[in-house]
Amino acid sequence: MQNLETLNQLLTEFYDKMSSWEQSVVKETGYSLAQVHTIEVLGVHGAMRMKELADKLGITTGTLTVQVDKLVAANLIERFSHPNDRRAIVVGLTEEGEAIHRHHNQLHLSLVKDITRHFDEGQEALLISCLSKMNREF
């Protein structure tokens, strides 16, 4: 039980620190955290249907539509018809959206490098294994 309490405290502390870091990094872009997360998902997974994107972000398609409208207006995302289903709308990053994704991803990579600089390969592999298992639970 003590390990569970300690793990709970450490995960909560890490989440708080990561959230604070993310807020400060995103603040510099002039875009909202939700907008940057939308760009991030599209940058990692490529163009996709609105429903798929909403599911990956854990939001409704209605909420996503508002985000996408703003990102289309900012020329970061483009909408187009699905090649095999004209009823479906697909969204993908523009060149400017890709540039924001690359920059934001580089910031993430730098952070991970900094916070794991004292890990050996075994510790990195264990962390990858543990985080992968934890992510599957969501």
Side-chain angles (χ1 to χ4, degrees):
M1 187 64 153
Q2 181 60 37
N3 281 346
L4 202 56
E5 284 293 327
T6 301
L7 187 56
N8 178 53
Q9 290 169 353
L10 290 171
L11 283 172
T12 301
E13 180 182 354
F14 183 79
Y15 173 80
D16 291 343
K17 288 178 178 180
M18 185 74 177
S19 293
S20 178
W21 176 87
E22 188 80 19
Q23 286 287 349
S24 68
V25 167
V26 168
K27 189 177 185 179
E28 296 171 3
T29 67
Y31 301 106
S32 72
L33 187 57
Q35 290 170 326
V36 172
H37 282 164
T38 302
I39 290 168
E40 192 172 33
V41 169
L42 288 171
V44 169
H45 299 284
M48 64 182 71
R49 295 175 193 217
M50 290 281 287
K51 176 71 172 129
E52 292 171 289
L53 180 56
D55 289 345
K56 287 198 180 294
L57 291 167
I59 60 176
T60 66
T61 53
T63 300
L64 178 61
T65 298
V66 173
Q67 290 297 335
V68 168
D69 286 346
K70 291 176 184 176
L71 292 167
V72 167
N75 196 37
L76 301 177
I77 286 181
E78 59 187 344
R79 285 186 174 103
F80 47 94
S81 296
H82 190 279
N84 301 326
D85 183 358
R86 292 184 314 190
R87 297 168 298 162
I89 300 297
V90 175
V91 291
L93 296 178
T94 62
E95 281 188 37
E96 193 174 335
E98 287 282 354
I100 288 174
H101 171 257
R102 283 190 304 273
H103 176 72
H104 190 74
N105 190 57
Q106 193 58 48
L107 293 172
H108 275 264
L109 289 172
S110 294
L111 175 66
V112 171
K113 184 178 178 182
D114 287 347
I115 64 177
T116 61
R117 69 183 175 276
H118 300 295
F119 288 26
D120 62 33
E121 285 185 31
Q123 290 169 319
E124 285 179 1
L126 180 59
L127 182 59
I128 289 168
S129 175
C130 290
L131 289 173
S132 296
K133 287 178 183 177
M134 290 167 65
N135 282 336
R136 282 193 295 271
E137 293 299 318
F138 278 101

